[in-house]
Amino acid sequence: MRYDALRCATLSKAEVQRMLTTKSIRLTDEELADLREYLDISGEVEAVALKRAAVRGIRELRLAEAIRVYLEERDSEHASHIAGLPRAQFLQVLTDKGISVLEGQSSLASEMEGLARRFGDRRLAQAAIEVEPVGV
């Protein structure tokens, strides 16, 4: 966000206005009172608070949709794309929320097989075949 502000500072007003889009929202009296109370408490500028709230809300919506898709499809790559997060970070979010990321038991061999298929690595596939599960 700071980078954008610095970048905009070096551009002409016309260039900045071409980059930005104005949106408007309608608030109920109760929502407006809530906003005003927050602004009084925080001392924040209304436009900045509304933009931060919108951006935060969009992130939350994307994450909620991504979790829904993940629970239905069990495709963490697709779901992480919806969330706008790297896959590892999305998986961490799932774990933090207590959502299982593994279906059933996992073994080193099955994980290696999956990676071998994903990357088309025959040597890894062969190594997966040679790995014996622990306790067998």
Side-chain angles (χ1 to χ4, degrees), residues 25-105:
I25 59 171
R26 295 178 192 267
L27 300 174
T28 64
D29 290 341
E30 185 179 323
E31 292 165 337
L32 184 57
D34 193 33
L35 174 62
R36 286 185 176 146
E37 181 181 355
Y38 170 76
L39 296 174
D40 288 344
I41 293 168
S42 69
E44 198 168 358
V45 175
E46 183 180 87
V48 173
L50 288 172
K51 181 175 181 180
R52 283 186 341 103
V55 169
R56 179 177 291 160
I58 291 166
R59 287 184 189 136
E60 289 175 8
L61 289 171
R62 288 183 71 166
L63 183 58
E65 179 64 12
I67 291 170
R68 185 193 66 74
V69 167
Y70 175 77
L71 291 172
E72 286 180 6
E73 299 175 10
R74 290 295 185 184
D75 183 347
S76 62
E77 190 166 339
H78 180 225
S80 67
H81 176 73
I82 292 169
L85 297 172
R87 185 172 174 263
Q89 188 176 354
F90 178 70
L91 291 172
Q92 184 62 52
V93 168
L94 292 176
T95 302
D96 293 346
K97 292 185 175 290
I99 298 171
S100 175
V101 293
L102 293 175
E103 294 177 18
Q105 292 185 335

